[in-house]
Amino acid sequence: MIATEIDLTRVLCRVADLEGGCREFRLGAGDWPLRGFVVEVSDGVRAYVNRCAHLAYPLNYMPHQFLSHDGSMIQCYVHGAIFEKTTGFCVGGPCSGLSLIALPVRIVSGYVLLAGEADPDELAARYA
């Protein structure tokens, strides 16, 4: 078996780190890296920019804490907005009908990577 080479500059987390939940990440150099999180869903993983659709604040107060108490939804701990894990669509709260900013990802050898077409520096500049 040939080992797959992984571009470490694109690694968001290990799949094993999710364990049915979420994992926060920072990707890129400088003072304003791309800040986001990966969430495990039934058919794989999704990744989103850590920015509420309401007022663009980070969704979490504590590291890796993005889910509702029962783990079924993403919750903004600033305003209480509730988002679907699989789509990032807001189903309740002050930004109902809006969505989180999704990031393209792929899984390679047990790691979640930012997909090749996405530029982490450009994304960081856009969503800082």
Coordinates of all heavy atoms in Angstrom, one line a residue, residues 29-111:
A29 N -1.2 31.6 8.5 CA -0.1 32.3 9.3 C -0.6 33.7 9.6 O -1.7 34.2 9.2 CB 1.1 32.4 8.4
G30 N 0.2 34.4 10.5 CA -0.1 35.8 10.8 C -1.1 35.9 12.0 O -1.5 34.9 12.6
D31 N -1.4 37.2 12.2 CA -2.3 37.5 13.3 C -3.8 37.1 13.1 O -4.6 37.0 14.0 CB -2.3 39.0 13.6 CG -0.9 39.4 14.2 OD1 -0.2 38.6 14.7 OD2 -0.5 40.6 14.0
W32 N -4.2 36.9 11.8 CA -5.6 36.7 11.5 C -5.7 35.4 10.7 O -6.0 35.5 9.5 CB -6.2 37.9 10.8 CG -6.1 39.1 11.6 CD1 -5.2 40.1 11.5 CD2 -6.9 39.4 12.7 NE1 -5.4 41.1 12.5 CE2 -6.5 40.7 13.2 CE3 -8.0 38.8 13.3 CZ2 -7.1 41.3 14.3 CZ3 -8.6 39.4 14.4 CH2 -8.1 40.6 14.9
P33 N -5.5 34.2 11.3 CA -5.7 33.0 10.5 C -7.2 32.7 10.3 O -8.0 33.3 10.9 CB -5.1 31.9 11.5 CG -5.3 32.5 12.8 CD -5.1 34.0 12.7
L34 N -7.4 31.8 9.4 CA -8.8 31.3 9.2 C -9.2 30.6 10.4 O -8.6 29.6 10.9 CB -8.8 30.4 8.0 CG -10.2 29.7 7.7 CD1 -11.3 30.8 7.4 CD2 -10.0 28.8 6.5
R35 N -10.3 31.0 11.0 CA -10.9 30.4 12.2 C -12.2 29.7 11.9 O -13.1 30.3 11.4 CB -11.1 31.4 13.3 CG -9.8 32.1 13.7 CD -10.1 33.4 14.6 NE -8.9 34.2 14.6 CZ -8.1 34.3 15.6 NH1 -8.2 33.4 16.6 NH2 -7.0 35.1 15.6
G36 N -12.2 28.4 12.3 CA -13.4 27.7 12.0 C -13.6 26.5 12.9 O -12.9 26.3 13.9
F37 N -14.5 25.6 12.5 CA -14.7 24.3 13.2 C -15.2 23.2 12.3 O -15.8 23.5 11.2 CB -15.6 24.5 14.4 CG -17.0 24.9 14.0 CD1 -18.0 24.0 14.0 CD2 -17.4 26.2 13.7 CE1 -19.3 24.3 13.6 CE2 -18.7 26.6 13.4 CZ -19.7 25.6 13.3
V38 N -14.9 22.0 12.7 CA -15.3 20.8 12.0 C -16.3 20.1 12.8 O -16.1 20.0 14.0 CB -14.1 19.9 11.6 CG1 -14.6 18.6 11.0 CG2 -13.1 20.6 10.8
V39 N -17.4 19.7 12.3 CA -18.4 18.9 13.0 C -18.7 17.6 12.3 O -18.7 17.5 11.1 CB -19.7 19.7 13.1 CG1 -20.3 20.1 11.8 CG2 -20.7 19.0 14.0
E40 N -18.8 16.5 13.1 CA -19.1 15.2 12.6 C -20.6 15.1 12.3 O -21.4 15.5 13.2 CB -18.6 14.1 13.5 CG -18.6 12.8 12.9 CD -17.9 11.8 13.9 OE1 -18.1 11.8 15.1 OE2 -17.2 10.9 13.3
V41 N -21.0 14.6 11.2 CA -22.4 14.3 10.8 C -22.5 12.9 10.3 O -21.5 12.2 10.2 CB -22.9 15.3 9.7 CG1 -22.9 16.8 10.3 CG2 -22.0 15.3 8.5
S42 N -23.7 12.5 10.1 CA -23.9 11.0 9.8 C -23.2 10.6 8.6 O -22.8 9.4 8.5 CB -25.4 10.8 9.7 OG -26.0 11.5 8.6
D43 N -23.0 11.4 7.6 CA -22.4 11.0 6.3 C -21.0 11.5 6.2 O -20.4 11.5 5.1 CB -23.2 11.4 5.1 CG -23.3 12.9 4.9 OD1 -23.0 13.6 5.9 OD2 -23.8 13.3 3.8
G44 N -20.3 11.9 7.3 CA -18.9 12.4 7.2 C -18.7 13.6 8.1 O -19.0 13.5 9.3
V45 N -18.2 14.7 7.6 CA -17.9 15.9 8.3 C -18.3 17.1 7.5 O -18.4 17.0 6.3 CB -16.4 16.0 8.7 CG1 -16.0 14.8 9.6 CG2 -15.5 16.1 7.5
R46 N -18.5 18.2 8.2 CA -18.7 19.5 7.6 C -17.8 20.5 8.4 O -17.4 20.3 9.5 CB -20.1 20.0 7.8 CG -21.2 19.1 7.2 CD -21.2 19.1 5.7 NE -22.3 18.3 5.1 CZ -22.4 17.0 4.9 NH1 -21.4 16.3 5.3 NH2 -23.4 16.4 4.4
A47 N -17.4 21.5 7.7 CA -16.6 22.6 8.3 C -17.2 23.9 8.0 O -17.8 24.2 6.9 CB -15.2 22.6 7.8
Y48 N -17.2 24.8 9.0 CA -17.7 26.2 8.8 C -16.8 27.2 9.4 O -16.0 26.9 10.3 CB -19.1 26.2 9.6 CG -20.1 25.3 9.1 CD1 -20.3 24.1 9.8 CD2 -20.9 25.5 8.0 CE1 -21.3 23.2 9.4 CE2 -21.8 24.6 7.5 CZ -22.0 23.5 8.2 OH -23.0 22.6 7.8
V49 N -16.9 28.4 8.9 CA -16.2 29.6 9.5 C -16.8 29.8 10.9 O -18.0 29.7 11.0 CB -16.3 30.8 8.6 CG1 -15.7 32.0 9.3 CG2 -15.6 30.6 7.2
N50 N -16.0 30.1 11.8 CA -16.5 30.4 13.2 C -16.9 31.8 13.3 O -16.3 32.7 13.8 CB -15.3 30.1 14.2 CG -15.9 30.2 15.7 OD1 -17.1 30.4 15.9 ND2 -15.0 30.2 16.6
R51 N -18.1 32.0 12.7 CA -18.7 33.3 12.6 C -20.2 33.2 12.5 O -20.7 32.6 11.6 CB -18.1 34.0 11.3 CG -18.5 35.4 11.1 CD -17.8 35.9 9.9 NE -18.1 37.3 9.7 CZ -17.6 38.0 8.7 NH1 -16.7 37.5 7.9 NH2 -17.9 39.2 8.6
C52 N -20.9 33.7 13.5 CA -22.4 33.7 13.5 C -22.9 34.5 12.3 O -22.4 35.5 12.0 CB -22.9 34.2 14.8 SG -24.7 34.0 14.9
A53 N -24.0 34.0 11.7 CA -24.7 34.6 10.6 C -25.4 35.9 11.1 O -25.8 36.7 10.2 CB -25.6 33.7 9.9
H54 N -25.5 36.1 12.3 CA -26.3 37.2 12.9 C -25.4 38.5 12.9 O -25.6 39.4 12.2 CB -26.8 36.9 14.3 CG -27.5 38.0 15.0 ND1 -27.4 38.2 16.3 CD2 -28.4 38.9 14.5 CE1 -28.1 39.3 16.6 NE2 -28.7 39.7 15.6
L55 N -24.4 38.5 13.7 CA -23.5 39.7 13.9 C -22.0 39.4 13.7 O -21.2 40.2 14.1 CB -23.7 40.3 15.2 CG -25.0 41.0 15.5 CD1 -25.1 41.5 16.9 CD2 -25.3 42.1 14.5
A56 N -21.7 38.2 13.1 CA -20.3 37.9 12.7 C -19.4 37.7 14.0 O -18.2 37.7 13.8 CB -19.7 38.9 11.8
Y57 N -20.0 37.4 15.1 CA -19.2 37.0 16.3 C -18.9 35.6 16.2 O -19.6 34.8 15.6 CB -20.0 37.3 17.6 CG -20.3 38.7 17.9 CD1 -21.6 39.2 18.2 CD2 -19.3 39.7 17.9 CE1 -21.8 40.5 18.5 CE2 -19.5 41.0 18.2 CZ -20.8 41.4 18.5 OH -21.0 42.7 18.8
P58 N -17.8 35.2 16.9 CA -17.5 33.7 17.1 C -18.7 33.0 17.7 O -19.4 33.6 18.6 CB -16.3 33.7 17.9 CG -15.6 35.0 17.8 CD -16.8 36.0 17.6
L59 N -18.9 31.8 17.3 CA -20.1 31.0 17.9 C -19.9 30.5 19.3 O -20.8 30.2 20.0 CB -20.4 29.9 16.9 CG -20.9 30.2 15.6 CD1 -20.7 29.1 14.6 CD2 -22.4 30.6 15.6
N60 N -18.6 30.3 19.7 CA -18.3 29.6 20.9 C -17.6 30.6 21.9 O -16.9 31.5 21.6 CB -17.5 28.4 20.7 CG -16.1 28.8 20.1 OD1 -16.0 29.7 19.3 ND2 -15.1 28.0 20.5
Y61 N -17.8 30.2 23.2 CA -17.1 30.9 24.3 C -15.9 30.0 24.7 O -14.8 30.5 25.0 CB -18.0 31.1 25.6 CG -18.9 32.2 25.5 CD1 -20.2 32.1 26.0 CD2 -18.5 33.5 25.0 CE1 -21.1 33.1 25.9 CE2 -19.4 34.5 25.0 CZ -20.7 34.3 25.4 OH -21.6 35.4 25.4
M62 N -16.1 28.7 24.8 CA -15.1 27.8 25.2 C -14.5 27.0 24.0 O -15.3 26.8 23.0 CB -15.7 26.8 26.2 CG -16.2 27.4 27.4 SD -15.0 28.2 28.5 CE -14.1 26.8 29.0
P63 N -13.3 26.6 24.0 CA -12.7 25.8 22.9 C -13.6 24.6 22.5 O -14.0 23.9 23.4 CB -11.3 25.4 23.3 CG -11.0 26.5 24.4 CD -12.3 26.8 25.0
H64 N -13.8 24.4 21.3 CA -14.5 23.2 20.7 C -16.0 23.1 21.2 O -16.6 22.1 20.9 CB -13.8 21.9 21.1 CG -12.3 22.0 20.9 ND1 -11.7 22.3 19.7 CD2 -11.3 21.9 21.8 CE1 -10.4 22.4 19.9 NE2 -10.1 22.1 21.2
Q65 N -16.6 24.1 21.8 CA -17.9 24.1 22.3 C -18.9 24.8 21.3 O -19.1 26.0 21.4 CB -18.1 24.7 23.6 CG -17.2 24.0 24.7 CD -17.6 22.6 24.9 OE1 -18.8 22.3 25.1 NE2 -16.7 21.7 25.0
F66 N -19.4 24.0 20.3 CA -20.3 24.6 19.3 C -21.7 24.0 19.2 O -22.5 24.4 18.5 CB -19.6 24.4 17.9 CG -18.4 25.2 17.7 CD1 -17.1 24.6 18.0 CD2 -18.4 26.5 17.2 CE1 -16.0 25.3 17.9 CE2 -17.2 27.2 17.1 CZ -16.0 26.6 17.4
L67 N -21.9 22.9 20.0 CA -23.1 22.1 19.8 C -24.1 22.4 20.9 O -23.7 22.8 22.0 CB -22.8 20.6 19.8 CG -21.9 20.1 18.7 CD1 -21.7 18.6 18.8 CD2 -22.5 20.5 17.3
S68 N -25.4 22.2 20.6 CA -26.4 22.3 21.6 C -26.2 21.3 22.7 O -25.4 20.4 22.5 CB -27.8 22.1 20.9 OG -27.9 20.9 20.3
H69 N -26.9 21.4 23.8 CA -26.7 20.5 24.9 C -26.9 19.0 24.5 O -26.2 18.1 25.0 CB -27.6 20.8 26.1 CG -27.2 22.1 26.7 ND1 -26.1 22.3 27.5 CD2 -27.9 23.3 26.7 CE1 -26.0 23.5 27.9 NE2 -27.1 24.2 27.5
D70 N -27.8 18.7 23.6 CA -28.0 17.3 23.2 C -27.1 16.9 22.0 O -27.2 15.8 21.6 CB -29.5 17.1 22.9 CG -30.0 17.8 21.7 OD1 -29.2 18.6 21.0 OD2 -31.2 17.6 21.3
G71 N -26.3 17.9 21.5 CA -25.4 17.6 20.4 C -26.0 17.5 19.0 O -25.3 17.1 18.1
S72 N -27.3 17.8 18.9 CA -28.0 17.6 17.6 C -27.9 18.8 16.7 O -28.1 18.7 15.5 CB -29.5 17.3 17.8 OG -30.1 18.4 18.4
M73 N -27.5 20.0 17.2 CA -27.5 21.2 16.4 C -26.2 22.0 16.8 O -25.7 21.8 17.9 CB -28.7 22.1 16.7 CG -30.0 21.3 16.5 SD -30.4 21.0 14.8 CE -31.2 22.5 14.3
I74 N -25.9 22.9 15.9 CA -24.8 23.9 16.2 C -25.6 25.1 16.9 O -26.6 25.5 16.4 CB -24.1 24.4 14.9 CG1 -23.4 23.2 14.2 CG2 -23.2 25.5 15.2 CD1 -23.0 23.5 12.8
Q75 N -25.0 25.6 18.0 CA -25.6 26.7 18.7 C -24.6 27.9 18.9 O -23.5 27.7 19.3 CB -26.1 26.3 20.0 CG -26.8 27.4 20.8 CD -27.4 26.9 22.1 OE1 -27.2 25.7 22.5 NE2 -28.1 27.7 22.8
C76 N -25.1 29.1 18.6 CA -24.3 30.3 18.9 C -24.5 30.6 20.3 O -25.6 30.9 20.8 CB -24.8 31.5 18.0 SG -23.9 33.0 18.4
Y77 N -23.4 30.6 21.1 CA -23.6 30.9 22.5 C -23.7 32.4 22.8 O -23.9 32.7 24.0 CB -22.4 30.2 23.3 CG -22.6 28.7 23.3 CD1 -22.1 27.9 22.3 CD2 -23.4 28.2 24.3 CE1 -22.4 26.5 22.4 CE2 -23.6 26.8 24.4 CZ -23.1 26.0 23.4 OH -23.4 24.7 23.4
V78 N -23.6 33.2 21.9 CA -23.7 34.7 22.1 C -25.2 35.1 22.0 O -25.7 35.7 22.9 CB -22.9 35.5 21.1 CG1 -23.2 37.0 21.2 CG2 -21.4 35.2 21.2
H79 N -25.9 34.6 20.9 CA -27.3 35.0 20.7 C -28.3 33.9 20.7 O -29.5 34.1 20.5 CB -27.4 35.7 19.3 CG -26.5 36.9 19.2 ND1 -25.3 36.9 18.5 CD2 -26.6 38.1 19.8 CE1 -24.8 38.1 18.6 NE2 -25.5 38.9 19.4
G80 N -27.8 32.6 20.9 CA -28.7 31.5 20.9 C -29.2 31.0 19.6 O -30.1 30.1 19.6
A81 N -28.7 31.5 18.5 CA -29.1 31.0 17.2 C -28.8 29.5 17.1 O -27.8 29.0 17.6 CB -28.4 31.7 16.1
I82 N -29.7 28.7 16.4 CA -29.5 27.3 16.2 C -29.4 27.0 14.7 O -30.2 27.5 13.9 CB -30.8 26.6 16.8 CG1 -31.0 26.9 18.3 CG2 -30.7 25.1 16.5 CD1 -29.9 26.3 19.2
F83 N -28.4 26.2 14.4 CA -28.1 25.9 13.0 C -28.0 24.3 12.8 O -27.6 23.6 13.7 CB -26.7 26.4 12.6 CG -26.5 27.9 12.8 CD1 -26.1 28.4 14.0 CD2 -26.8 28.7 11.8 CE1 -25.9 29.8 14.2 CE2 -26.6 30.1 11.9 CZ -26.2 30.6 13.2
E84 N -28.5 23.9 11.6 CA -28.4 22.5 11.3 C -26.9 22.1 11.1 O -26.1 22.9 10.5 CB -29.1 22.2 10.0 CG -30.6 22.4 10.1 CD -31.3 22.3 8.7 OE1 -30.6 22.4 7.7 OE2 -32.5 22.0 8.8
K85 N -26.5 21.0 11.6 CA -25.1 20.5 11.5 C -24.8 20.2 10.0 O -23.7 20.5 9.6 CB -24.9 19.3 12.3 CG -24.8 19.6 13.8 CD -24.7 18.5 14.8 CE -24.2 17.2 14.4 NZ -24.1 16.3 15.6
T86 N -25.7 19.6 9.3 CA -25.3 19.2 7.9 C -25.3 20.3 6.9 O -24.6 20.2 5.9 CB -26.3 18.1 7.4 OG1 -27.6 18.6 7.5 CG2 -26.1 16.8 8.2
T87 N -26.1 21.4 7.1 CA -26.2 22.5 6.1 C -25.7 23.8 6.6 O -25.4 24.7 5.8 CB -27.6 22.6 5.7 OG1 -28.4 23.1 6.8 CG2 -28.2 21.4 5.1
G88 N -25.6 24.0 8.0 CA -25.3 25.3 8.5 C -26.5 26.3 8.5 O -26.3 27.5 8.8
F89 N -27.6 25.8 8.1 CA -28.8 26.7 7.9 C -29.4 27.0 9.3 O -29.6 26.1 10.1 CB -29.9 26.0 7.1 CG -31.1 26.8 6.8 CD1 -31.0 27.8 5.9 CD2 -32.3 26.5 7.4 CE1 -32.1 28.6 5.6 CE2 -33.4 27.3 7.1 CZ -33.3 28.3 6.2
C90 N -29.7 28.3 9.6 CA -30.2 28.7 10.8 C -31.7 28.4 10.9 O -32.5 28.9 10.1 CB -30.0 30.2 11.1 SG -30.6 30.8 12.7
V91 N -32.1 27.6 11.9 CA -33.5 27.3 12.0 C -34.2 27.9 13.2 O -35.4 27.8 13.4 CB -33.7 25.7 12.1 CG1 -33.3 25.1 10.8 CG2 -32.9 25.2 13.3
G92 N -33.5 28.7 14.0 CA -34.0 29.4 15.1 C -33.1 30.5 15.6 O -31.9 30.3 15.6
G93 N -33.7 31.6 16.1 CA -32.9 32.7 16.6 C -32.9 33.9 15.8 O -33.6 34.0 14.8
P94 N -32.0 34.9 16.1 CA -32.1 36.2 15.4 C -31.6 36.1 13.9 O -31.9 37.1 13.2 CB -31.1 37.0 16.2 CG -30.2 36.1 16.8 CD -31.0 34.8 17.1
C95 N -31.1 35.0 13.4 CA -30.7 35.0 12.0 C -31.4 33.9 11.3 O -30.8 33.3 10.3 CB -29.2 34.9 11.9 SG -28.5 33.5 12.8
S96 N -32.6 33.6 11.7 CA -33.4 32.5 11.0 C -33.4 32.7 9.5 O -33.6 33.9 9.0 CB -34.8 32.5 11.5 OG -34.8 31.9 12.8
G97 N -33.1 31.7 8.8 CA -33.1 31.7 7.3 C -31.8 32.0 6.7 O -31.6 31.9 5.5
L98 N -30.8 32.4 7.5 CA -29.4 32.6 7.0 C -28.6 31.4 7.3 O -29.1 30.5 7.9 CB -28.8 33.8 7.7 CG -29.5 35.2 7.5 CD1 -28.8 36.3 8.4 CD2 -29.5 35.6 6.1
S99 N -27.4 31.3 6.8 CA -26.6 30.2 7.0 C -25.2 30.5 7.4 O -24.7 31.6 7.1 CB -26.5 29.4 5.7 OG -27.7 28.8 5.3
L100 N -24.5 29.6 8.1 CA -23.1 29.7 8.3 C -22.3 29.6 7.0 O -22.8 29.1 6.0 CB -22.6 28.5 9.3 CG -23.3 28.5 10.7 CD1 -22.9 27.3 11.4 CD2 -23.0 29.8 11.4
I101 N -21.1 30.0 7.0 CA -20.2 30.0 5.8 C -19.5 28.6 5.8 O -18.7 28.3 6.7 CB -19.2 31.1 5.8 CG1 -19.9 32.4 5.8 CG2 -18.3 31.0 4.6 CD1 -19.1 33.6 6.3
A102 N -19.9 27.8 4.9 CA -19.4 26.4 4.7 C -18.0 26.5 4.1 O -17.7 27.3 3.3 CB -20.3 25.6 3.9
L103 N -17.1 25.6 4.5 CA -15.8 25.4 4.0 C -15.7 24.0 3.3 O -16.2 23.0 3.9 CB -14.7 25.5 5.0 CG -14.7 26.9 5.8 CD1 -13.8 26.8 7.0 CD2 -14.2 28.0 4.8
P104 N -15.1 23.9 2.1 CA -14.9 22.6 1.5 C -13.8 21.8 2.2 O -12.8 22.3 2.5 CB -14.5 23.0 0.1 CG -13.8 24.3 0.2 CD -14.5 25.0 1.3
V105 N -14.2 20.6 2.5 CA -13.2 19.7 3.1 C -13.2 18.3 2.5 O -14.1 18.0 1.7 CB -13.6 19.5 4.6 CG1 -13.4 20.8 5.4 CG2 -15.0 19.0 4.8
R106 N -12.2 17.6 2.8 CA -12.1 16.2 2.4 C -11.3 15.4 3.5 O -10.6 16.0 4.3 CB -11.4 16.0 1.0 CG -10.0 16.5 1.0 CD -9.4 16.6 -0.5 NE -8.1 17.1 -0.5 CZ -7.0 16.4 -0.7 NH1 -7.1 15.1 -0.9 NH2 -5.8 16.9 -0.7
I107 N -11.5 14.1 3.5 CA -10.8 13.3 4.5 C -9.8 12.5 3.8 O -10.1 11.8 2.8 CB -11.8 12.4 5.2 CG1 -12.8 13.2 6.0 CG2 -11.1 11.4 6.1 CD1 -14.0 12.4 6.6
V108 N -8.5 12.5 4.3 CA -7.4 11.8 3.7 C -6.7 11.1 4.9 O -6.2 11.8 5.8 CB -6.5 12.7 2.9 CG1 -5.3 11.9 2.4 CG2 -7.2 13.4 1.8
S109 N -6.6 9.8 4.8 CA -5.8 9.0 5.8 C -6.2 9.4 7.3 O -5.3 9.5 8.1 CB -4.3 9.2 5.6 OG -4.0 8.7 4.3
G110 N -7.5 9.6 7.6 CA -7.9 9.9 8.9 C -7.8 11.4 9.3 O -8.0 11.7 10.5
Y111 N -7.4 12.3 8.4 CA -7.3 13.7 8.7 C -8.4 14.5 7.9 O -8.7 14.1 6.7 CB -6.0 14.2 8.3 CG -4.9 13.8 9.2 CD1 -4.2 12.6 8.9 CD2 -4.5 14.5 10.4 CE1 -3.2 12.1 9.8 CE2 -3.5 14.0 11.2 CZ -2.9 12.9 10.9 OH -1.9 12.4 11.8

